[in-house]
Amino acid sequence: MSEPTGKYSITMSRDIAEAAKARSGPSGLSAYVAAAVARQIERDNLNELIQVAEAEHGPVTDEEIQTLRDQLHQARSEQTQDGANAT
């Protein structure tokens, strides 16, 4: 079951509106804009969580970020190898 919808009027530059309309495909401009707004809300929520975590634990260092990226890359590599070995 889908969520109830409302009709809203927004203002944006014509160039952005036309580009969005061209990319919206069969779902239409409203669905495209709604998805973009939903993604922005998710980003805003994540940024709020990061601010709270950094206030409590301090900022994450570049080295910590790189270590986690390396771990993720390694895990993906192993997963890909395991998948190739299973066939």
Side-chain angles (χ1 to χ4, degrees), residues 6 30 36 50-51 54 61 64 70-71 74 78-79 83:
S30 291
I50 290 168
Q51 288 174 356
E54 286 185 341
T61 66
E64 290 171 318
D70 292 344
Q71 289 173 2
Q74 181 64 31
E78 290 171 4
Q79 186 178 32

Side-chain angles (χ1 to χ4, degrees), residues 18-54:
E18 290 303 318
K21 194 173 184 182
R23 291 182 172 268
S24 64
S27 61
L29 182 60
S30 291
Y32 188 86
V33 171
V37 171
R39 279 191 306 274
Q40 185 61 47
I41 290 168
E42 288 174 355
R43 288 179 179 166
D44 293 344
N45 289 340
L46 286 172
N47 283 332
E48 289 173 8
L49 287 172
I50 290 168
Q51 288 174 356
V52 168
E54 286 185 341

Side-chain angles (χ1 to χ4, degrees), residues 77-87:
S77 247
E78 290 171 4
Q79 186 178 32
T80 301
Q81 289 172 358
D82 290 345
N85 293 335
T87 54

